[in-house]
Amino acid sequence: MPSFTSSSDERVATRHYARPIAAALVTIALLLCGFEVVTRLGFLRISRIESRTSKDYSAALALRRSDSMPSVLLLGNSLLLEGLDVDRLRTALRNDAVPARFVIEQTSWADWYFGIRRLLAEGSRPNRIVLCLSVPQLIGDSLRGEYSAFYLIRTDDLLQAGKNSGYDLTKISGLFLARYSLFYAELNNFRHFILNRAEPGYAESLRRFNQARLPPISDAQVLATATRHFELMQSVCAPYRMRCDILVPPGFSPPGIQGLIEAGNRTGTTILVPAPPDSWGIEMFRDGYHLNSAGAERFTDALAAALSRPR
Amino acid sequence: MLFDTPIYLLFLALVVLAYWCLNHRRQNRMLLLASFFFYGWWDWRFLLLMLGSATMDFILGQKIADSTDSNYRRRLLVISLVLNFGILGIFKYSNFFIQSLTDGLASVGVSTGLMPLLKIVLPPGISFYTFQEVAYIVDIYKGRLKPARRFVDYSLFISLFPHLIAGPIQRPSHLLPQVQQPRTFDGEKVFGGLMLIVCGLFRKSVIGDNAAHLANAAFDGKLGNNAGATLIGVFAFALQIYGDFGGYSDIARGSAQLLGFHFMVNFRQPYLASSLRDFWRRWHISLSSWLRDYLYIPLGGSRGGEARTYGNLMATMLLGGLWHGANWTFVFWGGLQGFWLSIERAFGRLRKKDTDSDTAAFHPGGWLVTMLVVGLGWLFFRARNIDQALTMLGNLRNFGWRPEFLPMIGYLGVLALATLAIDLRLELYGEEYPFEKTHPRWAIASAAVLCVVMALAGPMDSNAFIYFQF
């Protein structure tokens, strides 16, 4: 136990410990820098998800408006990732449009509202933006957190994004760090990645524990929230002479779909429903929620037809 | 501002850097402002409550010390105790008592529509700073302490940020002189503080938070209703609460050391205890010793015969349980501790071996029994209510096995081994952090390893410190 010592003892102890203190601080600093470098150089290479996200992000930023061959930026989460065959869509639209997809899993409306703001602010200029989320995700205000801060949210928007999602000051401060540190933003993914390889059974159990049951939602709730969300979204796109459409993925009796369509009518937002609810059987789905490869092909074709139609 | 977040570490670094550039007076003022900022980060309105409470005790303490009229002194003491515990009672227990009264009356058929629950937010750290204030007033009344004459010193003693939210509960006779006297930069203390912070972060994030996933799953019913779920839940929670609170205490003590303060040790390898009495000498020492000195001994301690001693033990532990939260589960947990301490005393196991040393020798049989009692206590401590605890206890008769239990048990085993490895090292070498008594390079190397493990095996989602809710 450290004890109070005389001043001469203290001077000796301080001199004696000056180097260890410096060494400890330097070690910690080097470790933090090392983690950041390894994440930026190594993790992006070995993780397929991170590699894809990084490429998608660059591709989305590179999109430019064109009257001869309009560009379409498709944004969304795993529903879009698994439900869309991008190469097939490109082929189907080869004479009509140039599609690009930017997917970040486990995201919802708030992530993409700020994501669209950032993409447009950073120079992305597609002719058309299509946001693909399920109805509950479209009316949710939660953020994915640090990961979104790195890829989707501008520094200027971090405070607002955190407040809208009910974050306290400590969590908001974490968003600021994650905005500039890929290591910090990726920390959860990094740990998932390692746990999945070290203990896949336990990782699967954890995933199941964390699956939250969604509360029931009504058409009236969806109408009220979606109207507000769509107005905000269109106000972001309007200065760039752009509209944002909503793409509803296939599903079974999605709650609030009528409310969503009504909100679209009120705000002038096009709601694309290429696969009407309950029209596809369970054989098209991998897990009752995400499409399988057969479902993805069918959905891609339906989406291509919907995108080809004039608005 | 949670201790395991980057913003706290940044805040601490800035405070430490500025602090050592100032003279003593300015150090105290700057630390006071930093502590207010730290506390106000949650909600600045709670600052007013803490300041009001501190001002009241500062004034009462001086009046008690300055008076020679014993009746007047006693009246001031009573006023202080009533106000301190009154504030704590209103903010922490009013809904508990209203609900308990409502339920009690409803059980005998009396309508209770006139007693709505209050919407009261619990101010962070109120249980901790109230106990410090009470200790301050009682020590002055007993003549064991001279009152602080400068409000800055007293309010810094109450609000010094490393202990403000969840302790360790500091004794005035230990901390107040440190606040009042100039502090000099001590390299050994600062180095130890850095190591304690790294060790605490490891305990919290790797052991506590990872165990929390399984404890939460078991207590949320996601593992089913069987013996495996109950055992995994209790085992996981035992690791979680120790990792979480032990880690918090290490970070608090480490932060204090960076500022030249010394805080009392709060945990001393509690899961190596061979008796419950030994456990309470190792677990949350700042609370258990506070309860001993300001409740058990004033009640008469062991001076009034065996029956009175058992009564005092039970009363102390029941109130200690209630201190943790406004829920019957905590009362039951405290009652269990008091009951088993009484059993141990009655059988005279410890009385013969009683020594002045802080911990008793290790006995495998005693350890096993103690861990079973501690585990049973954790079941009630963690459960949402008594019904859930009894249901989970009843599930022990149902030996349903699920394949996913195996990786969970393996995972908990790894966390337990990490806890054991650290605790054995500390116990055998009498250290406060791993490799303290070897060359600093080994301490730095072990800290580097802990940092790498934290990065790779930290939690998917961090949990708030358990004791922040108390």
Side-chain angles (χ1 to χ4, degrees):
Chain A
M1 183 183 298
S3 57
F4 296 102
T5 52
S6 71
S7 56
S8 61
D9 288 343
E10 278 168 0
R11 276 196 298 276
V12 172
T14 299
R15 266 205 310 275
H16 182 64
Y17 273 87
R19 284 179 65 185
I21 291 169
L25 291 174
V26 168
T27 304
I28 291 169
L30 284 176
L31 278 173
L32 290 174
C33 294
F35 290 146
E36 187 66 32
V37 170
V38 167
T39 310
R40 287 185 186 255
L41 298 181
F43 193 50
L44 290 184
R45 284 189 192 159
I46 59 172
S47 166
R48 277 183 293 118
I49 295 174
E50 300 318 315
S51 165
R52 189 207 68 224
T53 304
S54 184
K55 281 180 190 157
D56 278 4
Y57 178 61
S58 303
L61 281 185
L63 285 179
R64 291 291 174 270
R65 171 180 288 277
S66 162
D67 292 332
S68 56
M69 188 62 95
S71 52
V72 180
L73 176 57
L74 294 147
L75 306 172
N77 54 26
S78 58
L79 292 169
L80 184 65
L81 178 72
E82 299 192 31
L84 186 72
D85 182 334
V86 181
D87 292 335
R88 194 179 177 90
L89 183 70
R90 241 176 236 135
T91 308
L93 291 177
R94 62 184 175 276
N95 296 325
D96 301 316
V98 178
R101 181 182 66 179
F102 182 18
V103 164
I104 294 185
E105 287 96 329
Q106 297 166 43
T107 44
S108 58
W109 180 83
D111 298 288
W112 287 110
Y113 166 67
F114 290 103
I116 292 169
R117 283 170 68 97
R118 173 153 159 200
L119 284 168
L120 296 179
E122 291 187 352
S124 179
R125 293 288 182 275
N127 290 64
R128 187 177 185 183
I129 291 177
V130 177
L131 177 60
C132 175
L133 295 171
S134 70
V135 179
Q137 289 161 352
L138 278 167
I139 62 165
D141 277 320
S142 62
L143 282 178
R144 174 153 174 200
E146 284 84 10
Y147 195 71
S148 285
F150 187 84
Y151 278 110
L152 294 177
I153 310 176
R154 288 188 308 165
T155 308
D156 291 352
D157 287 337
L158 285 173
L159 186 63
Q160 189 62 43
K163 277 185 178 173
N164 287 358
S165 298
Y167 282 16
D168 59 23
L169 286 175
T170 303
K171 279 193 93 173
I172 291 174
S173 69
L175 296 181
F176 277 90
L177 176 59
R179 174 71 185 84
Y180 297 101
S181 166
L182 184 59
F183 165 66
Y184 190 65
E186 290 275 10
L187 211 48
N188 274 352
N189 292 346
F190 208 42
R191 289 164 177 171
H192 268 295
F193 181 80
I194 289 167
L195 189 64
N196 269 319
R197 270 146 192 79
E199 273 281 8
Y202 181 66
E204 179 55 32
S205 298
L206 278 188
R207 227 184 330 271
R208 268 192 299 108
F209 299 154
N210 292 331
Q211 277 170 359
R213 190 171 288 175
L214 293 170
I217 46 173
S218 65
D219 279 326
Q221 260 178 301
V222 172
L223 175 61
T225 311
T227 301
R228 180 167 53 85
H229 283 180
F230 293 169
E231 280 170 354
L232 282 170
M233 213 166 54
Q234 300 303 2
S235 71
V236 172
C237 295
Y240 300 93
R241 294 183 294 118
M242 210 181 284
R243 303 277 314 159
C244 182
D245 301 341
I246 298 296
L247 171 62
V248 180
F252 298 103
S253 306
I257 188 81
Q258 288 310 319
L260 193 74
I261 290 168
E262 178 59 27
N265 290 337
R266 286 188 186 182
T267 57
T269 303
T270 305
I271 310 290
L272 301 169
V273 192
D278 300 317
S279 59
W280 292 5
I282 191 73
E283 71 279 2
M284 290 290 160
F285 292 85
R286 176 174 64 79
D287 54 5
Y289 192 58
H290 298 92
L291 291 170
N292 58 24
S293 56
E297 282 183 9
R298 195 170 155 190
F299 181 62
T300 304
D301 293 343
L303 177 62
L307 290 176
S308 303
R309 276 193 293 272
R311 283 190 283 180
Chain B
M1 212 184 289
L2 301 175
F3 278 1
D4 60 339
T5 54
I7 188 72
Y8 173 73
L9 299 176
L10 177 67
F11 165 79
L12 179 65
L14 292 176
V15 168
V16 169
L17 281 176
Y19 174 85
W20 288 114
C21 299
L22 302 172
N23 63 29
H24 173 237
R25 282 276 171 93
R26 287 185 175 166
Q27 278 180 340
N28 280 4
R29 281 188 215 131
M30 193 275 272
L31 267 189
L32 188 61
L33 288 176
S35 299
F36 286 170
F37 176 80
F38 174 82
Y39 194 69
W41 184 264
W42 269 281
D43 190 331
W44 63 269
R45 289 168 301 181
F46 295 141
L47 252 180
L48 301 177
L49 179 72
M50 187 180 71
L51 266 175
S53 171
T55 307
M56 172 190 82
D57 285 310
F58 177 69
I59 295 167
L60 288 173
Q62 294 206 341
K63 286 192 178 300
I64 290 173
D66 294 344
S67 171
T68 51
D69 180 347
S70 60
N71 284 334
Y72 180 62
R73 284 162 53 85
R74 191 176 300 124
R75 274 203 299 276
L76 292 175
L77 172 71
V78 170
I79 288 171
S80 169
L81 293 180
V82 167
L83 287 173
N84 277 308
F85 288 122
I87 292 170
L88 183 63
I90 288 168
F91 280 94
K92 192 163 178 176
Y93 299 105
S94 45
N95 278 339
F96 173 65
F97 288 124
I98 290 172
Q99 187 69 57
S100 298
L101 186 63
T102 306
D103 293 347
L105 291 173
S107 67
V108 293
V110 178
S111 169
T112 54
L114 294 176
M115 285 188 285
L117 293 182
L118 306 170
K119 286 182 182 169
I120 295 177
V121 180
L122 184 66
I126 189 169
S127 308
F128 292 90
Y129 71 69
T130 299
F131 270 32
Q132 275 193 205
E133 288 174 338
V134 168
Y136 173 78
I137 290 291
V138 170
D139 281 1
I140 291 174
Y141 177 78
K142 294 270 187 189
R144 296 190 292 236
L145 182 77
K146 287 183 179 169
R149 294 293 170 187
R150 285 167 44 83
F151 183 67
V152 171
D153 291 348
Y154 176 71
S155 44
L156 183 57
F157 154 69
I158 293 297
S159 64
L160 186 60
F161 68 84
H163 74 66
L164 179 56
I165 302 298
I169 301 165
Q170 295 301 306
R171 294 303 178 81
S173 57
H174 182 67
L175 184 58
L176 198 52
Q178 295 185 59
V179 171
Q180 291 168 321
Q181 288 158 17
R183 298 167 291 275
T184 48
F185 187 89
D186 178 341
E188 188 177 0
K189 264 190 188 178
V190 171
F191 181 75
L194 282 172
M195 295 300 117
L196 273 171
I197 289 172
V198 172
C199 190
L201 287 171
F202 176 83
R203 281 178 187 272
K204 158 68 179 162
S205 65
V206 176
I207 297 173
D209 284 348
N210 278 318
H213 289 302
L214 284 177
N216 294 342
F219 281 89
D220 289 345
K222 290 177 178 171
L223 301 187
N225 301 313
N226 51 59
T230 300
L231 293 174
I232 286 173
V234 170
F235 188 24
F237 184 66
L239 289 170
Q240 180 197 353
I241 193 166
Y242 180 39
D244 188 280
F245 197 24
Y248 164 84
S249 297
D250 281 349
I251 302 169
R253 294 179 52 237
S255 303
Q257 280 187 207
L258 295 186
L259 299 164
F261 290 95
H262 178 253
F263 281 3
M264 68 186 296
V265 176
N266 215 17
F267 289 88
R268 203 172 272 133
Q269 299 78 256
Y271 291 151
L272 298 179
S274 295
S275 67
L276 197 60
R277 187 180 183 194
D278 186 19
F279 177 81
W280 277 105
R281 285 174 161 175
R282 295 164 175 267
W283 179 270
H284 202 174
I285 298 166
S286 65
L287 175 68
S288 56
S289 60
W290 192 99
L291 290 172
R292 181 195 64 207
D293 295 345
Y294 296 97
L295 188 59
Y296 177 70
I297 291 175
L299 283 172
S302 57
R303 297 189 301 273
E306 282 298 289
R308 179 76 189 271
T309 303
Y310 297 140
N312 291 339
L313 265 178
M314 280 302 287
T316 303
M317 297 315 289
L318 281 170
L319 287 170
L322 191 61
W323 174 88
H324 283 84
N327 194 325
W328 287 109
T329 51
F330 294 120
V331 178
F332 190 94
W333 172 77
L336 178 70
Q337 308 299 315
F339 173 74
W340 197 258
L341 286 170
S342 302
I343 294 280
E344 283 184 351
R345 187 179 176 86
F347 278 89
R349 282 179 53 219
L350 283 172
R351 214 184 309 178
K352 288 176 192 165
K353 296 169 191 164
D354 201 11
T355 64
D356 288 337
S357 67
D358 280 350
T359 54
F362 185 77
H363 292 285
W367 174 81
L368 189 62
V369 173
T370 304
M371 289 306 109
L372 287 173
V373 175
V374 169
L376 180 63
W378 289 146
L379 176 63
F380 282 87
F381 194 96
R382 174 61 179 79
R384 278 190 304 279
N385 49 48
I386 296 283
D387 283 347
Q388 189 197 15
L390 294 176
T391 304
M392 287 183 74
L393 210 52
N395 289 341
L396 286 173
R397 288 173 300 185
N398 174 16
F399 289 98
W401 175 259
R402 292 164 60 162
E404 66 259 38
F405 284 171
L406 197 60
M408 291 177 193
I409 292 168
Y411 198 75
L412 287 177
V414 172
L415 297 181
L417 276 177
T419 305
L420 186 66
I422 293 173
D423 277 10
L424 275 179
R425 169 88 208 182
L426 302 183
E427 181 83 359
L428 294 174
Y429 291 89
E431 295 175 331
E432 290 198 9
Y433 57 85
F435 300 98
E436 179 192 6
K437 292 188 175 168
T438 57
H439 192 280
R441 77 165 72 97
W442 292 111
I444 295 170
S446 76
V449 170
L450 294 183
C451 285
V452 172
V453 177
M454 269 190 270
L456 300 180
M460 305 303 166
D461 296 298
S462 181
N463 291 282
F465 288 94
I466 293 175
Y467 268 67
F468 278 20
Q469 64 190 294
F470 303 145

